[in-house]
Amino acid sequence: MKVTFLGTGTSSGVPMIGCTCPVCRSLDHRDHRLRVSVHLALDGRSFVIDSGPDFRQQMLRARVMHLDALLFTHEHKDHTAGLDDIRAFNFRQQTDMPVFAEPRVLNQLKQEFAYIFAEHKYPGVPRVVLHAIERDDAPFDVLGVPVLPLRALHHRLPVLGFRIGNFCYLTDANHIGPETRDQLRGADVIVLNALRREEHISHFTLAQAIAVLEDVQPKRAYLTHISHQLGRHAEVEAELPPWIRLAYDGLKVEV
C-alpha cells in the first residue's frame, strides 16, 4: 500500500488566515498544511479518506487521476466540504462514486449537498452511491478490500478511523477506548491526530498522542491534524522518538 498525505492541517489550515506567528510565516514547505486527508493506493484501487475544502487542490497536487471510493471519518466540514469536486471523477470514469460513512454522516451529507440527492437533479451534479457503515465492530467491504472501522470520540461525537491491513488512520479524536486500542495493536503504521501542546476539548495534544502510540506500539507512527500552535515542523520533530514522525503534505509512505 502507498499512502499519500494530501493534507495534515487542522480545520483552519496552516498558515491560518490573518496570523503572523512564526509557523504561519515559515518558509519550510512542511509547515504549509491543507485540511486533513489521505490517499491510499492498494491492490490496483485508489481510495481517499475525507474530502475537505481543499480536495480539488489536493487531487491536482498529488496527480490523482482515478478514484474508486471515498470514505468519511465524520461529518465536520473540514472533512466533507469538497464532495462536489468528485464530479471530475464522475466525468472521467463515467461511473457513480461509492461513498462510505456512518448513517448519521450520510444523512448530514444529504442535507448539506441536497442538490446531489434531489429527485430532479440539475445536469452535471456529482453522482454518488451511498454505502452505510452500520457496525463499528466488524470489517466492511470497499470494492473487495476489507476495512475495519476504528471507533473513537471527538469530544462527545463518535467518529471512525479505519484499519486496512497493517495501516491504521485515526484523526479528530481525543479518546480511544480499550477495544479500539486492541484493534490498533500489531499495526505497522498508525496515523494519529496531535493538534497542539495545550489541552483541547476534542483533539489529542502532542503528549496524549504519544502516550497512545507508546501503549499500542506500532512499528512506525505519523502525527496529523496539526495546528499552527504546535510549532515549527523541524523543531517539533526533533523532540520525537525516531519511530514517531510528523506527517506533512505530500509525504508518501509505503506500508
Side-chain angles (χ1 to χ4, degrees), residues 10 29 32 38 46 67 89 119 130 132 145 155 159-161 163 168 183 188 213 226 230 232 251:
T10 187
H29 72 93
H32 299 172
V38 289
S46 169
L67 186 63
F89 294 110
E119 181 179 357
L130 301 183
V145 177
H155 185 39
V159 298
L160 289 182
R163 177 165 181 161
C168 298
Q183 292 170 327
D188 288 343
L213 293 169
I226 294 165
L230 184 60
R232 289 175 174 154
L251 174 66

Side-chain angles (χ1 to χ4, degrees), residues 5 22 25 67-68 77 87 129 136 148 163 165 183 187 192 204 219 224 233 246:
F5 288 87
R25 290 187 289 111
L67 186 63
D68 291 303
K77 290 289 275 189
R87 288 180 296 140
V129 178
D136 62 6
L148 178 66
R163 177 165 181 161
Q183 292 170 327
L192 188 64
F204 284 129
K219 293 179 181 177
T224 193
H233 182 104
L246 290 188

Side-chain angles (χ1 to χ4, degrees), residues 20-41:
T20 59
C21 77
V23 176
C24 288
R25 290 187 289 111
S26 172
L27 299 180
D28 186 341
H29 72 93
R30 297 173 299 178
D31 288 321
H32 299 172
R33 302 182 184 277
L34 299 178
R35 269 61 73 93
V36 68
S37 178
V38 289
H39 177 260
L40 310 178

Side-chain angles (χ1 to χ4, degrees), residues 53-73:
D54 303 313
F55 179 69
R56 173 183 173 274
Q57 182 179 354
Q58 291 165 341
M59 294 295 94
L60 291 171
R61 184 172 65 178
R63 298 181 180 177
V64 177
M65 305 298 289
H66 185 92
L67 186 63
D68 291 303
L70 180 59
L71 291 74
F72 285 114
T73 58

Side-chain angles (χ1 to χ4, degrees), residues 66-88:
H66 185 92
L67 186 63
D68 291 303
L70 180 59
L71 291 74
F72 285 114
T73 58
H74 65 295
E75 64 267 45
H76 286 167
K77 290 289 275 189
D78 56 319
H79 295 256
T80 65
L83 179 61
D84 185 83
D85 285 318
I86 65 154
R87 288 180 296 140

